[in-house]
Amino acid sequence: MDAAGSQVADECAQYAGQYQSGFITTQGGNLLCSKIIHLITDNQVKSQVSKVLHECEQRMYKSVALPAIGTGQAGQSPAKVADEMLDAIMEFAGQKSVQHLQKIKIVIFQTNMLTDFYESMKKREDSDSSTTESLLSTFKSFFWGKKQSSENKKLMILEKKVYLVTFQICGESQESVDAAESWIKDLILKEQLENTVADEAIESFDETQIAVLEDLQRRKQVTIHLENKLSPPQIKISGISRDVYSVSLEVQRMIQQIKSTEEDQSKAELLYNLVEWRYPGHKDRFVAFDKLTNTQLEHAKLFKKPYLNVKINKKNYKVDLNTLKATDDQGKTIKLQRVAKDEGKL
């Protein structure tokens, strides 16, 4: 309520006692939303979530964000709340009459509750419902990044033109010809090597990484075979030993880069649910920074750095972490906001 501002508090006071269906609706205030639906807690989580979703559909809202209802002052079990909230969402999503509400987010402030919601999703994994499948994949992506399902995964094929070399061996006898052939084969085999790199992160390879692999094939004396239907996916590299070693190192570097990116995105998402940094936007409404910049600002403040350079609307700003003021290259100063989101607050 503090983050929403006095306007929302005044509306709540005005509508107190007039609520219908267990909730009242106010303007969004200083929060980055158009409306706020305030619930009157009655421990019937599934019923409350269902009412809110139908209210959003009736008012033609396109998205809604829900906290873990009842896990704060009401003290309800997170596992029970997870089951009831997801049951309500599944039932709502399965209705053919739903046309307007397209996105439902569950915002979990307390990281220890993530396991409860994940386990609740896993219990639905055996269902044949496409809605269940979609919800489960969305929830999993929060932990490990978005991955394509094995059924819908685009088959990545690396093509390499192989030039054949023909040896014609002439000798005084068949025995000397056979000896020369054996010597050539041994020489070739000594220079050949095959290495297999297996890692779950290979499943996240897209056109960018495939283009890098194709370029390596062109420049190096190797053949690269991507087997992305195996578990874990594999990349087989075969060719001249020295080139196999260098290409294998490059593949490992690409895998580590993907893992680091997914980890940074996951940390930024978690931090964004706890603290939100904002800058002034149109008509004095504050706008949230993107999640990575939000993370950089919060880390800079936590580690007591005096300044941090950021971009706001494609302009460079120097942020004073003590005063929360940002100054651009022309000397214009704006005031930033740092909003700590209340844990467990409905």
Side-chain angles (χ1 to χ4, degrees):
M1 187 66 75
D2 293 336
S6 58
Q7 176 190 351
V8 175
D10 292 342
E11 277 193 81
C12 287
Q14 178 184 347
Y15 296 137
Q18 301 178 27
Y19 60 86
Q20 297 177 349
S21 302
F23 61 83
I24 60 173
T25 304
T26 67
Q27 298 299 316
N30 294 331
L31 300 182
L32 301 178
C33 59
S34 59
K35 302 287 183 181
I36 303 175
I37 297 177
H38 305 263
L39 294 174
I40 312 300
T41 304
D42 61 6
N43 293 332
Q44 302 298 319
V45 174
K46 181 178 178 180
S47 173
Q48 287 192 307
V49 171
S50 180
K51 288 177 182 178
V52 168
L53 296 179
H54 283 91
E55 176 74 5
C56 292
E57 174 65 17
Q58 184 177 349
R59 292 179 176 268
M60 295 187 290
Y61 298 152
K62 291 185 178 180
S63 65
V64 62
L66 303 167
I69 296 171
T71 57
Q73 294 180 351
Q76 294 199 56
S77 162
K80 172 179 174 291
V81 168
D83 286 340
E84 292 196 22
M85 290 188 71
L86 294 173
D87 283 344
I89 293 172
M90 296 293 295
E91 290 179 9
F92 175 81
Q95 297 175 7
K96 294 182 179 179
S97 60
V98 176
Q99 297 179 357
H100 305 289
L101 188 57
Q102 300 173 2
K103 184 182 293 184
I104 302 169
K105 290 184 178 181
I106 299 179
V107 181
I108 305 170
F109 296 117
Q110 302 92 329
T111 54
N112 59 300
M113 290 186 191
L114 292 173
T115 303
D116 296 303
F117 278 82
Y118 175 62
E119 291 299 327
S120 184
M121 291 299 299
K122 282 190 69 176
K123 287 190 293 187
R124 294 161 169 78
E125 194 166 10
D126 295 331
S127 171
D128 292 330
S129 167
S130 60
T131 303
T132 302
E133 197 172 299
S134 174
L135 284 169
L136 181 63
S137 62
T138 300
F139 196 81
K140 282 184 175 180
S141 71
F142 179 76
F143 295 97
W144 299 292
K146 295 181 180 178
K147 295 182 179 178
Q148 297 170 299
S149 67
S150 57
E151 294 82 2
N152 300 325
K153 192 187 304 175
K154 181 180 178 182
L155 182 60
M156 301 293 188
I157 300 175
L158 295 171
E159 296 183 359
K160 182 177 179 66
K161 189 172 182 179
V162 178
Y163 297 93
L164 298 178
V165 176
T166 302
F167 289 90
Q168 290 184 336
I169 306 171
C170 302
E172 295 178 352
S173 65
Q174 184 63 45
E175 187 176 305
S176 61
V177 170
D178 291 343
E181 181 184 359
S182 178
W183 177 79
I184 292 172
K185 285 182 177 179
D186 288 343
L187 192 63
I188 292 172
L189 290 174
K190 284 180 181 178
E191 286 296 319
Q192 292 293 308
L193 180 68
E194 181 177 280
N195 185 40
T196 299
V197 180
D199 199 289
E200 291 289 350
I202 295 173
E203 191 176 6
S204 298
F205 275 30
D206 59 18
E207 286 80 1
T208 302
Q209 285 77 34
I210 297 302
V212 173
L213 294 178
E214 288 176 338
D215 181 61
L216 288 170
Q217 271 197 151
R218 283 191 295 268
R219 292 187 295 105
K220 304 288 186 177
Q221 297 297 315
V222 297
T223 298
I224 301 175
H225 183 56
L226 176 59
E227 297 180 347
N228 57 352
K229 288 190 175 182
L230 296 178
S231 182
Q234 297 180 355
I235 294 177
K236 286 187 177 180
I237 308 157
S238 57
I240 303 298
S241 301
R242 61 179 182 274
D243 287 343
V244 170
Y245 285 130
S246 64
V247 171
S248 297
L249 290 173
E250 180 63 21
V251 169
Q252 293 285 7
R253 187 195 65 78
M254 293 163 63
I255 290 172
Q256 189 56 47
Q257 188 175 40
I258 286 177
K259 288 182 175 180
S260 297
T261 299
E262 290 180 349
E263 184 179 357
D264 289 344
Q265 290 173 345
S266 179
K267 288 179 179 179
E269 183 76 34
L270 286 171
L271 185 58
Y272 188 75
N273 289 331
L274 300 173
V275 178
E276 186 175 281
W277 285 76
R278 304 170 180 172
Y279 61 88
H282 183 61
K283 293 184 179 179
D284 295 329
R285 286 183 66 90
F286 277 83
V287 180
F289 282 95
D290 64 85
K291 292 172 184 176
L292 290 179
T293 304
N294 188 79
T295 301
Q296 292 170 359
L297 285 164
E298 186 62 19
H299 282 176
K301 185 167 182 63
L302 288 174
F303 289 107
K304 298 183 178 179
K305 292 184 178 180
Y307 300 100
L308 181 70
N309 294 320
V310 300
K311 280 190 177 292
I312 301 175
N313 295 328
K314 298 182 179 180
K315 294 177 63 176
N316 295 319
Y317 280 82
K318 185 176 182 180
V319 179
D320 185 322
L321 277 308
N322 292 317
T323 63
L324 303 189
K325 291 181 179 180
T327 306
D328 65 11
D329 294 337
Q330 284 71 46
K332 180 181 176 182
T333 299
I334 59 175
K335 180 72 173 178
L336 305 184
Q337 283 186 347
R338 177 184 177 273
V339 180
K341 300 180 180 179
D342 293 338
E343 292 192 5
K345 193 167 183 176
L346 300 180

